[in-house]
Amino acid sequence: MWLSLLDAAPVVPAGVDETPPGEGDRQVPHDPADYPVAEVARAVGRQAETIDLRQMRQLVGHWPAGDRRLVALQIQHWEATAFPPGHGAGRAWVALLHDRVGFRRGDLIWSLAVLAGAEWRPYGGAYHLPALIAAELPDTELSGLLPVFEAVLAEAREEIHTQDERLRVAGLYTDVIDRLTDRLPPYLLHDGDRVGPAIRSALGERLGGTGLRPLLLHAFSLTKPVPTKAWRRTAESRLAAAPDGAAVVRAMLETFVSLADEIHEDTDTLLRGLTWLVAADPGEQASATLARLGLVAGSPPSRSVGYPIAPRVAAAAVEALAERAGDTPARALAAMSTAVRYKALKARVHTALDRVAERRGWAPGEAAELAVDEHATRVFTRPDGLELTVEIDGEKARLRAVRNGRPLRSVPAGVDADEPRAVVKALTKTLGLQRERIEGLLAAGREWKWDTWVTRYLEHPVTGTIARRLIWEGSDDGETWTAFLPSDRSFANVRLWHPLRAAPAEVSHWRDRIVESGLRQPFKQAFREIYPLTPAEQETRVYSNRFAAHILRYNQLAALLRARGWSGNYLGFFDGGYDGEATREFAAGAWRASFFYDLVEEEIEYGATFCSTDQVRFARREGTGWVTAALTEVPPLVFSEAMRDVDLFVGVTSIAADDAWADRGEHRFFAYWERTGFGELTAGAAVRRDVLERLLPRLAAGPRMAIDGRFLRVTGVRGAYKIHLGSGNILIEPNDRYLCIVPSRSPAKIQELALPFDDDRMLSVILSKAIMLAADDKISDPTIVRQLPG
């Protein structure tokens, strides 16, 4: 029995009555001095079962500390010997012990002895007071009692019946034991994720260093994204008291960054506090740590709709970065504004960027372009004559190896290329983010002075590779604008060219020029679809039904929404999962588009398979909120770009684009599939037709192909075919029999010509099908051959 481990015989504290408690439910006296302590304790304990903690504090909180000490000790005896045991002792102790009451080591020894003799330990109440007394006593008064506390904890885990009470008692004793051993509480580095154990493994004994425990406990105490001044002052003093504290904190955060994995909410809470401990250092290294932390914490795990892996850490990193000077914080926030998908966090990032911009006098959107990382380290030279160079090739970075002036096919085996490969990875990510950011400028109508534009775009080592492949507009008077490629001439002012603002003849000129020059644009610009407001949309006034009533494959839609920067709720067979709204901000956050869709019920066990499309609406920002806007009030560029995205969602994820749909044996949506799969062309499909008209003469099989309304007609050896330019579905002439050819996930590249852009998979699918059918006598796939004529 653990009682034998006590180093002294228990002595009953003066004023405590060990006789069995009497019966009765006397009310708590106003002045305990007027009644015996035992009677007061019985009254307090009984009363605590029926009233809340606030009322309990009003009853006993004003009593002198000495009286509260004696009553607490007497309740321990009453709790251990009464039957049935009380259920309000815990509330009574919290009210009585709201501050120090002068407990002594003898009180602790006696309360442990009472606990040892308690008849009703399975109820757990008698276990509380010894731990509460130990929490008030200094470490010197607990000398020699560590084995006792460990034995009591082990017993409590076996004895107490209810899980909640067992966990509550275990927490009280674990805190005492950890304090005596200078050990971190388990919840600080939780075993419920990979990060906590990895930190314990990586840092080992360093976590037990001087001052580490109080420092980390203080970090865990932070309950908001931004700490108070008092919290920061305490943090500074505890950092000063821990010689290895700053280094350990950085190492813990870097471990999380390296794993980039989801974490338990307790770990998220701890790392949030550690984020602000790092922020106490004004140096560039701390800024770099916060930048990496924000990007990783704000990223979603794989196959997620966008919820961050560490929302508390991400929010703290955003707020900490917004307070700091220099380029690194602004660059990190700009990167997060593009990379983050979760709506609440994205709004926080935009607000932080606005604060940075206002403090530095930047225009809307300027923070993002000023903060583009140049990735200056591009050449790595080795003593053996091997030179590794990081180069930009289109939309990606690549590593080129040269030895003594002779290019190599790849990096030789055994060569340590981790650092250059890390630069390749980071540069490719930056290219993707900048491509997405610059494409977003199409809706903003932003203008630059010539010299500013040249510095930030044309001559920038990263954005320049994108800008030099785009069409721009220049003006000397701000009224007349002339489209140009960056090599043409200079102007006073510059803006990004958009076909919506151009005459049809000008659009046709630029499409011809792009194709003839073989220029591959980073995104579809010359051939970009445009969506002017229609009379029907003027009639509906505040919403558009242009893309309503389509049946989409929901999982594919959800992935495409994320890829295009839209955020929306899950659909599924649960409360709130039967309808969805996806939103995206345009024009530097001044406008917001909303796309609505509904669950199409299916008899399946998990998740959603199909959804139907509904309205598109718009709102403008007013302060921190949004106000619904009439469609006529929406800037034409914003309206066109938002509707282009929705057209893309429908065109890519509609069941009408499913080549195998007719063979599924499902007829529920067959009428929609047939009507849409061979129906009138959308704006996107009409642009696809325009591209094909320019590309067909360049194909070897071009003479066997011709545009025929909404179809690409192909004359093969065995028969003639019509490929729908919207869905890619194929009909065999002359009786329009359906031909099913399911394309691969990545259609083969058309080797004999360069496409003017790379963001229309359906164009590649249609060209691949057309080239194959033009030589239908060479097809060997039996699933296709048995469908062909002849």
Side-chain angles (χ1 to χ4, degrees):
M1 178 63 182
W2 52 261
L3 184 61
S4 61
L5 299 174
L6 294 177
D7 60 351
V11 176
V12 180
V16 173
D17 186 357
E18 286 198 297
T19 57
E23 298 300 324
D25 289 317
R26 183 186 296 277
Q27 294 296 309
V28 179
H30 179 73
D31 184 354
D34 296 337
Y35 299 88
V37 170
E39 189 172 334
V40 174
R42 186 180 69 247
V44 170
R46 291 293 190 197
Q47 196 80 353
E49 295 184 34
T50 58
I51 63 177
D52 62 28
L53 182 59
R54 181 181 57 82
Q55 293 173 309
M56 190 79 250
R57 280 177 173 153
Q58 289 176 345
L59 283 172
V60 304
H62 64 283
W63 289 355
D67 291 340
R68 287 187 280 118
R69 165 184 165 267
L70 286 176
V71 171
L73 292 169
Q74 188 69 64
I75 289 176
Q76 165 79 349
H77 176 63
W78 176 84
E79 182 72 11
T81 56
F83 183 81
H87 297 288
R91 190 181 296 118
W93 280 321
V94 170
L96 289 164
L97 309 179
H98 60 82
D99 60 9
R100 294 182 176 275
V101 297
F103 282 123
R104 303 147 195 173
R105 181 182 173 92
D107 297 335
L108 175 58
I109 301 298
W110 178 82
S111 68
L112 286 168
V114 172
L115 170 61
E119 299 181 37
W120 312 113
R121 286 196 297 276
Y123 294 93
Y127 282 95
H128 286 244
L129 188 60
L132 295 174
I133 296 174
E136 179 177 317
L137 294 175
D139 291 353
T140 54
E141 291 288 292
L142 303 179
S143 175
L145 294 180
L146 176 59
V148 179
F149 292 127
E150 290 177 332
V152 173
L153 175 58
E155 178 189 277
R157 284 173 170 161
E158 294 293 330
E159 287 278 339
I160 301 176
H161 287 175
T162 62
Q163 183 183 41
D164 287 347
E165 182 68 9
R166 189 162 60 247
L167 292 174
R168 192 176 299 115
V169 169
L172 290 172
Y173 282 90
T174 297
D175 284 344
V176 176
I177 293 168
D178 290 342
R179 188 177 123 211
L180 294 178
T181 58
D182 206 21
R183 190 171 64 198
L184 295 180
Y187 58 79
L188 280 186
L189 292 171
H190 206 280
D191 287 335
D193 55 45
R194 290 200 305 143
V195 175
I199 291 174
R200 290 183 185 271
S201 174
L203 295 178
E205 295 181 357
R206 291 181 68 187
L207 292 173
T210 303
L212 255 298
R213 187 176 189 280
L215 177 65
L216 299 183
L217 286 172
H218 183 64
F220 189 78
S221 71
L222 183 59
T223 58
K224 296 180 179 179
V226 180
T228 63
K229 291 181 179 178
W231 189 96
R232 295 191 198 210
R233 285 194 298 269
T234 303
E236 290 177 4
S237 65
R238 296 199 175 177
L239 273 169
D244 197 26
V248 167
V249 167
R250 283 196 302 273
M252 293 173 72
L253 293 176
E254 291 293 353
T255 301
F256 163 67
V257 169
S258 66
L259 289 174
D261 198 12
E262 291 178 90
I263 57 177
H264 188 276
E265 62 179 352
D266 282 352
T267 308
D268 199 9
T269 299
L270 172 63
L271 298 189
R272 172 174 59 189
L274 300 186
T275 300
W276 282 103
L277 293 180
V278 167
D281 178 359
E284 181 62 23
Q285 183 183 1
S287 293
T289 298
L290 292 170
R292 292 192 299 274
L293 196 60
L295 285 168
V296 170
S299 299
S302 60
R303 305 175 67 86
S304 166
V305 294
Y307 192 76
I309 63 174
R312 293 178 175 90
V313 176
V318 168
E319 298 298 334
L321 287 166
E323 294 182 359
R324 302 174 76 83
D327 291 339
T328 299
R331 186 180 297 121
L333 289 172
M336 289 183 70
S337 70
T338 305
V340 165
R341 297 290 183 241
Y342 185 54
K343 187 185 301 183
L345 181 59
K346 197 175 189 74
R348 185 182 292 276
V349 173
H350 281 300
T351 302
L353 267 178
D354 289 342
R355 296 202 324 258
V356 171
E358 182 179 0
R359 191 166 64 245
R360 303 187 186 190
W362 292 344
E366 193 170 4
E369 66 189 30
L370 283 170
V372 181
D373 196 336
E374 296 185 1
H375 297 280
T377 304
R378 301 283 186 85
V379 180
F380 300 84
T381 303
R382 295 167 51 88
D384 59 0
L386 179 66
E387 185 177 87
L388 302 179
T389 304
V390 178
E391 297 178 341
I392 295 176
D393 182 9
E395 317 310 320
K396 295 183 177 180
R398 302 186 186 279
L399 189 60
R400 185 169 63 90
V402 176
R403 188 189 295 279
N404 300 323
R406 183 172 60 88
L408 305 179
R409 282 178 171 270
S410 61
V411 178
V415 173
D416 182 5
D418 288 349
E419 186 178 356
R421 286 196 175 105
V423 174
V424 168
K425 183 178 179 180
L427 182 52
T428 297
K429 184 174 182 179
T430 299
L431 283 166
L433 293 174
Q434 292 312 305
R435 174 190 175 279
E436 187 174 334
R437 180 184 68 81
I438 294 173
E439 187 179 12
L441 292 174
L442 287 166
R446 177 109 182 270
E447 297 178 14
W448 298 264
K449 293 296 182 183
W450 178 263
D451 291 342
T452 300
W453 173 76
V454 167
T455 301
R456 297 181 187 174
Y457 287 89
L458 194 59
E459 295 179 351
H460 192 282
V462 176
T463 54
T465 64
I466 299 172
R468 288 190 288 272
R469 293 179 287 145
L470 294 173
I471 307 167
W472 301 83
E473 282 187 304
S475 175
D476 291 324
D477 58 8
E479 299 291 334
T480 304
W481 293 86
T482 303
F484 71 97
L485 287 173
S487 59
D488 288 353
R489 54 165 290 193
S490 63
F491 296 89
N493 302 293
V494 186
R495 69 185 185 188
L496 196 56
W497 181 84
H498 196 296
L500 185 67
R501 291 189 293 219
E506 181 183 345
V507 174
S508 181
H509 161 75
W510 280 108
R511 289 180 177 179
D512 287 338
R513 185 169 175 180
I514 294 298
V515 171
E516 290 168 3
S517 66
L519 181 65
R520 191 181 188 87
Q521 295 199 285
F523 48 79
K524 195 185 293 186
Q525 186 193 25
F527 288 92
R528 201 169 191 82
E529 307 85 352
I530 60 172
Y531 301 80
L533 200 63
T534 64
E537 287 162 340
Q538 291 176 333
E539 286 290 325
T540 54
R541 204 175 72 80
V542 295
Y543 64 88
S544 168
N545 270 334
R546 189 184 308 199
F547 298 108
H550 286 274
I551 306 299
L552 311 184
R553 296 183 295 269
Y554 172 65
N555 288 331
Q556 193 176 6
L557 170 66
L560 191 54
L561 285 169
R562 295 195 297 273
R564 292 295 300 170
W566 293 68
S567 57
N569 57 293
Y570 268 124
L571 290 186
F573 299 95
F574 47 81
D575 187 25
Y578 287 84
D579 50 68
E581 176 188 1
T583 62
R584 180 185 172 185
E585 295 178 11
F586 292 86
W591 288 88
R592 185 183 71 183
S594 296
F595 168 46
F596 295 87
Y597 45 91
D598 300 294
L599 178 67
V600 176
E601 295 189 34
E602 285 283 302
E603 294 298 326
I604 59 175
E605 187 174 356
Y606 299 108
T609 304
F610 304 110
C611 66
S612 61
T613 60
D614 206 333
Q615 301 173 357
V616 178
R617 291 175 176 261
F618 291 84
R620 65 175 177 272
R621 186 184 293 277
E622 287 195 3
T624 58
W626 297 95
V627 176
T628 301
L631 300 184
T632 54
E633 299 172 357
V634 182
L637 290 178
V638 171
F639 182 83
S640 183
E641 288 299 301
M643 298 301 281
R644 179 181 182 271
D645 270 1
V646 179
D647 190 3
L648 176 69
F649 302 151
V650 172
V652 172
T653 70
S654 168
I655 63 170
D658 186 344
D659 298 78
W661 185 267
D663 296 333
R664 291 164 64 106
E666 300 178 23
H667 301 286
R668 183 180 181 192
F669 306 125
F670 186 80
Y672 163 80
W673 177 85
E674 190 172 40
R675 180 178 67 253
T676 307
F678 300 100
E680 293 300 321
L681 300 183
T682 64
V687 167
R688 194 174 296 133
R689 178 176 59 193
D690 196 353
V691 178
L692 286 169
E693 287 175 342
R694 290 170 166 80
L695 294 181
L696 293 185
R698 298 170 178 271
L699 286 171
R704 308 180 72 88
M705 305 176 192
I707 301 296
D708 183 7
R710 55 182 183 268
F711 294 94
L712 172 61
R713 192 173 186 275
V714 182
T715 303
V717 176
R718 300 180 60 167
Y721 313 90
K722 296 190 301 185
I723 306 175
H724 191 263
L725 297 175
S727 65
N729 293 336
I730 308 169
L731 298 175
I732 304 175
E733 294 185 332
N735 57 354
D736 285 351
R737 178 164 55 88
Y738 178 67
L739 172 60
C740 177
I741 299 178
V742 179
S744 64
R745 288 183 177 271
S746 301
K749 290 186 177 181
I750 315 301
Q751 299 294 338
E752 54 193 290
L753 74 114
L755 299 179
F757 46 79
D758 193 30
D759 53 357
D760 185 353
R761 182 179 182 275
M762 183 57 71
L763 175 61
S764 299
V765 168
I766 290 172
L767 279 170
S768 297
K769 288 181 176 181
I771 292 171
M772 179 174 64
L773 291 173
D776 57 356
D777 59 326
K778 303 292 196 301
I779 297 175
S780 58
D781 187 333
T783 62
I784 299 176
V785 170
R786 60 172 168 257
Q787 300 179 68
L788 297 178

